[in-house]
């Protein structure tokens, strides 16, 4: 099973959709797992997530040894990592949904409620919107420009702009993707973004971050 | 650009079969919801909605199987409604592969169900259906049982309450307009859309592409739902997107 992609099963609602999308993208061995031992042997890791930041954080940290295994494999061994929606937001230092809650702290920043700058701006941010790459990640191997499906009320505000890989616009700039070395997190749902999303998954399967 | 106006085809499903479905000639089985969903996925629909109108409990059981099989082959957001009466019903649909669950009568009986779903699984998946009829000038009331049973509940007040309780989206259907092809009840849609901060989906009565455009420009909806015009092949999803773009609205394509 050393070749497997570990898709972390911690009760996230989009787990099966992400699994289906990885399979559609051509993944052969996707291990849906809550076993830290398997994570330590995984070639690639995907962290899904929908719902509230706190519920996801508690779900993930509720699995004994899981966060340590993820940190060893992603921060230590630098294996390719993809976080989706709340799975991306969890990379932050903290979330402010339903009171402050710590995150993994892999990418400094916090997760805040989207401000309604205008009555025409609806929250949740729900629907297809642009994914526009930032200049310093314009040639990122995993991310491409296009339209993707977003569904969220909170957004990740990284401390360092260099960690922002893509932006979208919803009454102001909203971070669509963060990237640092072997770590990518996307606010949108590739598993729900038709061809755009499946193509991203396919690139993830081949991604060899330096 | 900004977030796109969503075009959402809706399939009525009863006992695992599409009741009112697409007339695409190349479908092997026009009554199979999964095949129809795939056709809409390929056509670039922004989301898909399944509305279960099964009368029986057994019919509802097959819905979970349909949702699961759809999620295996369609990579688009899926809202499922009809007969959702508890948090457990909602959870089962989400685990099967639905992204959003629409609650109808159960939220008329007990509006707090929206809070129960939103607290456990997030507002983003909690859609409140608001089925209303006009009872006098600028006043609409909630009707249940396919528009046959009146409740005396003010539709706008009900909608605001459900959004405050945690609904992340409101699906506003004019029971007067449904099936007439005369257009959405724009006053109703706008009255609700202007009173809440969550997205509103306009539903009920679409007959032309102009109706979709008006749903947004005059009804202030964030998404437009239609059934017959797509199922009978009167218009394609691409034509709907183009009509929105031609009206200066953000749409895919």
């Amino acid at each position: 099973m050393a070749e497997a992609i570990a898709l972390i099963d911690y009760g996230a609602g989009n787990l099966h959709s992400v699994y289906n999308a990885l399979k559609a993208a051509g993944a052969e061995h996707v291990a849906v797992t809550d076993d830290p031992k398997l994570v330590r042997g995984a070639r690639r890791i995907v962290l899904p997530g929908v719902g509230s930041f706190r519920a996801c954080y508690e779900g993930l940290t509720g699995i004994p040894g899981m966060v340590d295994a993820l940190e060893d494999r992603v921060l230590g061994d630098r294996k390719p990592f993809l976080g989706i929606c709340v799975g991306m937001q969890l990379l932050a230092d903290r979330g402010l949904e339903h009171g402050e809650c710590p995150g993994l702290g892999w990418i400094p920043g916090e997760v805040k409620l989207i401000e309604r700058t205008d009555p025409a701006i609806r929250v949740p941010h729900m629907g297809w919107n642009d994914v526009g790459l930032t200049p310093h990640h314009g040639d990122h191997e995993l991310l491409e420009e296009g339209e993707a499906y977003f569904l969220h009320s909170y957004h990740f505000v990284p401390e360092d702009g260099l960690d922002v890989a893509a932006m979208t616009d919803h009454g102001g700039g909203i971070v669509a993707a963060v990237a640092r070395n072997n770590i990518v997190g996307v606010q949108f749902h590739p598993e729900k973004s038709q061809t755009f999303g499946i193509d991203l998954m396919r690139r993830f399967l081949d991604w060899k971050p330096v | 650009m900004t977030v796109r106006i969503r075009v959402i085809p809706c399939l009525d499903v009863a006992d695992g079969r599409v009741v009112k479905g697409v007339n695409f000639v190349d479908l092997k089985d026009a009554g199979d919801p999964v095949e129809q969903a795939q056709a809409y996925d390929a056509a670039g629909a922004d989301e898909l909605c399944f509305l279960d109108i099964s009368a029986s409990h057994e019919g509802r059981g097959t819905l979970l199987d349909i949702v699961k099989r759809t999620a295996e082959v369609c990579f688009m957001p899926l809202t499922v409604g009809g007969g959702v009466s508890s948090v457990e019903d909602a959870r089962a649909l989400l685990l099967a592969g639905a992204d959003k669950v629409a609650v109808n009568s159960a939220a008329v009986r007990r509006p707090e169900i929206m809070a129960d779903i939103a607290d456990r699984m997030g507002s983003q998946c909690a859609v409140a259906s608001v089925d209303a009829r006009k009872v006098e000038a600028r006043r609409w009331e909630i009707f249940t049982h396919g528009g046959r049973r009146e409740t005396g509940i003010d539709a706008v007040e009900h909608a605001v309450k459900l959004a405050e309780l945690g609904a992340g989206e409101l699906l506003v259907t004019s029971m007067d307009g449904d099936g007439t092809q005369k257009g959405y009840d724009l006053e109703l849609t706008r009255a609700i859309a202007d009173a809440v901060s969550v997205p509103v989906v306009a539903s009920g009565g679409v007959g032309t592409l102009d109706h979709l455009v008006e749903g947004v420009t005059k009804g202030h909806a964030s998404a437009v739902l239609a059934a017959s015009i797509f199922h009978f092949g009167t218009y394609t999803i691409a034509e709907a997107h183009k009509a929105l773009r031609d009206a200066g609205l953000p749409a895919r394509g």
Side-chain angles (χ1 to χ4, degrees):
Chain A
M1 290 301 283
E3 298 291 303
I5 295 168
L7 174 57
I8 312 299
D9 178 5
Y10 64 103
N14 60 342
L15 179 73
H16 296 290
S17 297
V18 173
Y19 175 84
N20 291 332
L22 283 166
K23 296 299 277 187
E28 287 179 13
H29 304 291
V30 181
V32 175
T33 184
D34 60 358
D35 181 356
K37 284 205 294 290
L38 219 153
V39 169
R40 288 178 188 277
R43 291 254 328 252
R44 296 169 194 278
I45 295 169
V46 178
L47 185 65
V50 292
S52 87
F53 188 97
R54 179 179 294 278
C56 287
Y57 180 77
E58 287 172 354
L60 191 64
T61 53
I63 304 170
M66 181 56 87
V67 171
D68 285 344
L70 285 169
E71 294 192 337
D72 287 349
R73 201 59 174 158
V74 179
L75 302 180
D77 301 338
R78 294 209 169 194
K79 292 297 168 189
F81 173 93
L82 177 64
I84 297 172
C85 196
V86 183
M88 166 262 213
Q89 296 181 352
L90 285 172
L91 300 175
D93 293 319
R94 63 193 154 273
L96 304 177
E97 186 171 359
H98 305 309
E100 190 171 322
C101 172
L104 294 171
W106 295 359
I107 292 184
E110 56 185 27
V111 177
K112 312 176 178 180
L113 185 66
I114 296 171
E115 268 185 70
R116 291 189 74 208
T117 49
D118 174 318
I121 297 300
R122 304 277 163 172
V123 177
H125 173 215
M126 185 183 284
W128 295 79
N129 209 337
D130 296 302
V131 175
L133 299 184
T134 53
H136 39 277
H137 289 280
D139 57 354
H140 199 282
E141 290 166 325
L142 193 52
L143 299 164
E144 280 188 5
E145 304 219 319
E147 293 168 307
Y149 189 83
F150 290 81
L151 183 52
H152 62 120
S153 299
Y154 288 77
H155 66 129
F156 190 172
V157 183
E159 270 175 27
D160 185 347
L162 290 175
D163 290 327
V164 178
M167 295 293 291
T168 192
D169 175 27
H170 189 59
I174 299 277
V175 172
V178 292
R180 183 185 273 199
N181 305 320
N182 56 313
I183 299 168
V184 164
V186 292
Q187 178 62 69
F188 55 87
H189 289 275
E191 78 280 14
K192 293 290 163 183
S193 297
Q194 294 171 340
T195 319
F196 177 82
I198 300 300
D199 286 348
L200 189 153
M201 294 292 210
R202 193 173 292 124
R203 289 191 298 275
F204 177 70
L205 300 178
D206 294 329
W207 186 34
K208 295 181 183 68
V210 283
Chain B
M1 240 197 296
T2 182
V3 68
R4 314 297 190 260
I5 301 300
R6 288 167 285 147
V7 175
I8 309 174
C10 180
L11 293 166
D12 286 354
V13 176
D15 304 313
R17 303 287 292 171
V18 175
V19 178
K20 207 165 55 167
V22 202
N23 245 343
F24 296 148
V25 282
D26 52 347
L27 291 187
K28 281 187 295 240
D29 177 1
D32 179 10
V34 181
E35 227 187 308
Q36 300 238 354
Q38 278 183 286
Y40 279 124
D41 192 21
D46 298 312
E47 284 183 17
L48 184 68
C49 181
F50 278 149
L51 201 54
D52 186 40
I53 53 170
S54 300
S56 68
H57 186 69
E58 292 74 24
R60 297 246 163 79
T62 59
L63 181 70
L64 286 176
D65 178 57
I66 290 165
V67 170
K68 189 164 177 291
R69 288 193 292 124
T70 301
E72 281 167 8
V73 292
C74 287
F75 302 101
M76 69 194 302
L78 177 64
T79 299
V80 182
V84 177
S85 60
S86 65
V87 174
E88 288 67 34
D89 287 347
R91 182 188 296 278
L93 287 167
L94 294 170
L95 287 175
D99 300 284
K100 298 187 259 181
V101 173
V103 185
N104 197 335
S105 316
V108 177
R109 288 193 298 272
R110 200 178 73 83
E112 291 73 20
I113 188 177
M114 295 316 306
D116 295 345
I117 295 173
D119 288 348
R120 298 231 207 134
M121 290 162 292
S123 285
Q124 87 291 335
C125 75
V127 181
S129 283
V130 176
D131 290 355
R133 277 188 188 282
K134 192 169 194 169
V135 290
E136 58 187 78
R138 300 200 55 76
R139 183 175 156 80
W140 302 265
E141 284 182 8
I142 299 295
F143 278 70
T144 59
H145 298 78
R148 295 187 305 277
R149 191 173 298 179
E150 61 176 308
T151 65
I153 299 169
D154 182 88
V156 179
E157 284 173 19
H158 183 62
V160 168
K161 183 176 191 177
L162 297 180
E164 283 172 354
L165 284 165
E169 183 174 55
L170 299 173
L171 172 56
V172 177
T173 304
S174 159
M175 304 309 286
D176 299 310
D178 212 23
T180 65
Q181 306 224 338
K182 288 181 178 167
Y184 299 121
D185 185 329
L186 298 171
E187 279 193 329
L188 166 69
T189 309
R190 185 172 61 244
I192 291 176
D194 287 355
V196 299
S197 60
V198 300
V200 164
V201 184
S203 160
V206 172
T208 69
L209 295 176
D210 283 344
H211 292 154
L212 300 178
V213 172
E214 285 174 350
V216 181
T217 56
K218 296 180 183 164
H220 298 178
S222 301
V224 286
L225 182 141
S228 311
I229 61 160
F230 297 130
H231 303 331
F232 300 139
T234 319
Y235 300 104
T236 63
I237 300 292
E239 285 168 336
H241 281 147
K242 183 172 185 302
L244 293 168
R245 287 198 309 275
D246 288 349
L249 297 166
R252 283 209 295 162

